[in-house]
Amino acid sequence: MSDQTPATPSTAKTAVTPPRQTTPPARFSHGVRKGGLLQVAGQVGFGPAEPGQSPSPVGPGLREQTWQTLENVRAVLEEGGASWEDAIMVRVYLTDTEHFAEFNAIYDEYFAGLTGPPAARTTVYVGLPAGLIVEIDALAVL
Amino acid sequence: MSDQTPATPSTAKTAVTPPRQTTPPARFSHGVRKGGLLQVAGQVGFGPAEPGQSPSPVGPGLREQTWQTLENVRAVLEEGGASWEDAIMVRVYLTDTEHFAEFNAIYDEYFAGLTGPPAARTTVYVGLPAGLIVEIDALAVL
Amino acid sequence: MSDQTPATPSTAKTAVTPPRQTTPPARFSHGVRKGGLLQVAGQVGFGPAEPGQSPSPVGPGLREQTWQTLENVRAVLEEGGASWEDAIMVRVYLTDTEHFAEFNAIYDEYFAGLTGPPAARTTVYVGLPAGLIVEIDALAVL
């Protein structure tokens, strides 16, 4: 530890795991709450977990996957005691620049009921595993 | 809400909107301030908003777009009561790995006047909408 | 500054620089600590800095690069007075979707000794400079 770094007692860290979310494919948490922050892991358009079945996206289309992905982020936020109103950042990963306009229309529809200022957002175009066309994560402040 | 999650009163959330920035293409804020954090949304090289005109990048080249993008991030930081000195993270999205060296030279020139420690940074290569070759967001702590 | 933004005295900002890490290629810090947050910049699989030599990845393979990358993140966390137990988010940038399963196996092995809840994680597939197949950054709360 460098001399400039004061020793700070660590705050408690809590995993946030919505009961119906599919199990992460590795040792990470769907959400983590620590020190007034709630970080939501990258969510995709998987429907609720079904015993004995592999996770699969709710549909091939952008609308279904986007809506389910946002609902999965919301489930983590709410399980952690937060809501979209607390989110300060939403990171959107799409796979096709042609999806931008349609994605924005779906996004605006999804957030039509928001009463406070919307979160900031960054949208970039990346590769995702086969079958997935959108991934979203979020950071909230409690 | 899980049993481990204490009920915390939410802090106020404020949208940060520089007056000359172009309107976001969807329901998101250019910046959000909440609980001591200021999150800047992904900025691109659009010049100042002109009434009745669609946003467009200031130039096709890396130098012009990078400089304008950094200026757009700065506008959000300053509108939110912060500066580059408060930024802890800068996320850089380029479209071409061949741009890395030139981008770094521009970045260093832009930040030559920084008096405190520079922010951390992650740079990756993604797809962006046509005409855009750089996107940057930032997180500041007040 | 907008009317809604209260004037907040800034917290101190500290660069976090592990002594053996290679020098960043531009004006950014390997880590920054400010206001209870520790942000780790994107790390890659470079071995320890050697005087007079350019940084180079420890190996061409996913296992070697991933392990070294995680060790480089850890070095920043520890230099900043934190550990993996304090990390709330890990961002993983891979270059090939075919690496997902093997990456997860390595990730789980690396974190086998974690005693608290694992960090959240987002994994996307991007371009990286030649020779690099994985980049990772992290956010910790003290």
Side-chain angles (χ1 to χ4, degrees):
Chain A
M1 194 190 297
S2 86
D3 286 339
Q4 300 111 298
T5 309
T8 311
S10 276
T11 52
K13 181 180 177 186
T14 310
V16 176
T17 310
R20 305 226 35 215
Q21 225 95 335
T22 54
T23 304
R27 198 168 167 73
F28 67 86
S29 301
H30 275 306
V32 171
R33 188 165 164 178
K34 191 170 196 289
L37 294 189
L38 171 51
Q39 175 71 57
V40 181
Q43 302 293 313
V44 295
F46 292 157
E50 301 289 348
Q53 294 191 13
S54 293
S56 65
V58 292
L62 186 64
R63 168 165 289 271
E64 298 90 329
Q65 282 199 25
T66 298
W67 205 272
Q68 181 67 46
T69 299
L70 289 166
E71 285 292 280
N72 289 344
V73 174
R74 184 176 66 85
V76 180
L77 289 170
E78 296 190 350
E79 185 72 20
S83 77
W84 282 115
E85 305 288 346
D86 301 305
I88 64 168
M89 185 59 167
V90 174
R91 291 190 181 277
V92 177
Y93 300 96
L94 299 177
T95 54
D96 186 345
T97 55
E98 296 296 313
H99 287 166
F100 189 54
E102 183 186 355
F103 178 81
N104 281 336
I106 300 164
Y107 194 85
D108 284 358
E109 184 184 335
Y110 184 85
F111 286 113
L114 208 63
T115 58
R121 196 184 84 177
T122 292
T123 306
V124 293
Y125 301 84
V126 301
L128 292 176
L132 300 174
I133 56 176
V134 54
E135 178 163 357
I136 299 175
D137 63 51
L139 178 64
V141 178
L142 274 295
Chain B
M1 195 190 297
S2 87
D3 286 339
Q4 301 111 299
T5 310
T8 311
S10 275
T11 51
K13 181 182 177 185
T14 309
V16 176
T17 311
R20 304 227 36 217
Q21 225 96 334
T22 54
T23 304
R27 198 169 167 74
F28 67 86
S29 302
H30 275 307
V32 172
R33 190 165 163 179
K34 190 171 198 286
L37 293 189
L38 171 50
Q39 175 71 57
V40 181
Q43 302 294 312
V44 295
F46 292 158
E50 300 290 348
Q53 294 192 12
S54 293
S56 66
V58 292
L62 186 63
R63 168 165 288 271
E64 298 90 328
Q65 283 199 23
T66 297
W67 204 273
Q68 181 67 46
T69 299
L70 288 166
E71 285 292 280
N72 289 344
V73 174
R74 184 176 66 85
V76 180
L77 289 170
E78 296 190 350
E79 184 72 21
S83 77
W84 282 116
E85 303 289 345
D86 301 304
I88 63 169
M89 184 60 166
V90 174
R91 292 191 179 277
V92 177
Y93 301 97
L94 298 176
T95 55
D96 186 344
T97 54
E98 296 296 314
H99 287 166
F100 189 56
E102 184 186 355
F103 178 81
N104 283 336
I106 300 165
Y107 193 86
D108 284 357
E109 185 185 335
Y110 184 87
F111 286 112
L114 208 63
T115 58
R121 196 183 84 177
T122 292
T123 305
V124 293
Y125 302 84
V126 302
L128 292 176
L132 300 174
I133 57 176
V134 55
E135 179 165 355
I136 299 176
D137 62 51
L139 178 64
V141 177
L142 273 296
Chain C
M1 194 190 296
S2 86
D3 286 339
Q4 300 112 299
T5 311
T8 311
S10 275
T11 51
K13 180 181 177 185
T14 310
V16 177
T17 310
R20 305 231 30 220
Q21 226 95 336
T22 54
T23 304
R27 200 168 165 73
F28 67 85
S29 302
H30 275 307
V32 172
R33 188 165 164 180
K34 192 172 196 288
L37 295 188
L38 171 50
Q39 175 71 57
V40 181
Q43 302 294 313
V44 295
F46 292 157
E50 300 290 348
Q53 294 193 11
S54 294
S56 66
V58 291
L62 186 63
R63 167 166 290 270
E64 298 90 329
Q65 283 200 23
T66 298
W67 204 273
Q68 182 67 47
T69 299
L70 289 165
E71 285 292 280
N72 289 345
V73 174
R74 183 174 68 84
V76 180
L77 290 169
E78 296 189 351
E79 185 71 20
S83 76
W84 282 115
E85 305 288 346
D86 301 304
I88 64 169
M89 185 60 167
V90 175
R91 292 191 180 276
V92 177
Y93 301 96
L94 298 177
T95 54
D96 185 343
T97 54
E98 295 297 313
H99 287 166
F100 190 54
E102 183 186 355
F103 178 81
N104 282 336
I106 299 164
Y107 194 86
D108 284 357
E109 185 185 335
Y110 184 86
F111 287 112
L114 208 62
T115 58
R121 196 185 82 177
T122 292
T123 306
V124 292
Y125 301 85
V126 300
L128 292 176
L132 300 175
I133 56 176
V134 56
E135 179 165 355
I136 298 176
D137 63 50
L139 177 64
V141 179
L142 272 297

